[in-house]
């Protein structure tokens, strides 16, 4: 059985891969239906459908450079059903810090919320 921290790190690597390949629809299973995301420039994106649509729009932009999220730490709750991931992100000439909240749903880890802070760029 895979440790939760390893499973979350593996799922993060897959999201990075799908973003690099501009495969927005393949990102959908990584988000809870009611996921929330605050991008580095501010604002709020609500729901997996809206997140996938936002990725599709970005992927159509000329010169899009894939975002890469690199976890520094993954901390799992004592109950084993939620986790906090923190790390660094880079992309499109920008970089900063992020935090993601993960939840285990029917045996699979999904992102329920993410916050990105742009620090450089």
């Amino acid at each position: 059985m895979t440790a939760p921290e390893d499973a979350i790190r593996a799922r993060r690597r897959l999201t990075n891969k799908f973003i690099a390949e501009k495969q927005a629809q393949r990102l959908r299973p990584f988000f809870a239906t009611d996921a929330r995301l605050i991008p580095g420039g501010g604002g709020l994106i609500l729901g997996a459908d809206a997140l996938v649509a936002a990725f599709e729009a970005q992927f159509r932009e000329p010169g899009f450079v894939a975002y890469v999220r690199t976890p520094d730490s993954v901390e799992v709750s004592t109950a084993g059903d939620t986790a906090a991931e923190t790390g660094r992100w880079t992309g499109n000439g920008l970089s900063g810090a992020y935090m993601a909240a993960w939840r285990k749903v029917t045996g699979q880890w999904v992102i329920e919320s993410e916050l990105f802070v742009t620090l450089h760029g």
Side-chain angles (χ1 to χ4, degrees):
M1 183 179 214
T2 305
E5 296 90 345
D6 294 335
I8 289 168
R9 287 177 187 273
R11 289 186 63 80
R12 178 57 71 194
R13 283 190 298 275
L14 280 172
T15 64
N16 285 337
K17 177 182 185 289
F18 294 145
I19 290 168
E21 295 171 353
K22 299 182 179 180
Q23 295 189 48
Q25 290 300 323
R26 296 205 57 195
L27 293 167
R28 185 180 302 280
F30 294 85
F31 294 105
T33 303
D34 60 348
R36 298 161 307 281
L37 185 141
I38 298 174
L44 177 63
I45 304 172
L46 295 173
D49 290 341
L51 286 164
V52 169
F55 277 112
E56 287 173 336
Q58 279 192 318
F59 296 165
R60 288 191 298 270
E61 292 176 10
F64 172 78
V65 176
Y67 290 92
V68 176
R69 288 94 179 221
T70 305
D72 291 328
S73 70
V74 176
E75 184 176 348
V76 180
S77 68
T78 53
D81 59 349
T82 58
E85 171 195 1
T86 58
R88 310 294 297 169
W89 66 270
T90 61
N92 279 341
L94 305 172
S95 64
Y98 75 91
M99 191 275 183
W102 292 79
R103 178 174 16 121
K104 198 167 192 180
V105 177
T106 60
Q108 193 63 263
W109 289 99
V110 295
I111 298 166
E112 64 180 3
S113 62
E114 289 186 293
L115 166 66
F116 294 89
V117 179
T118 301
L119 298 173
H120 309 283

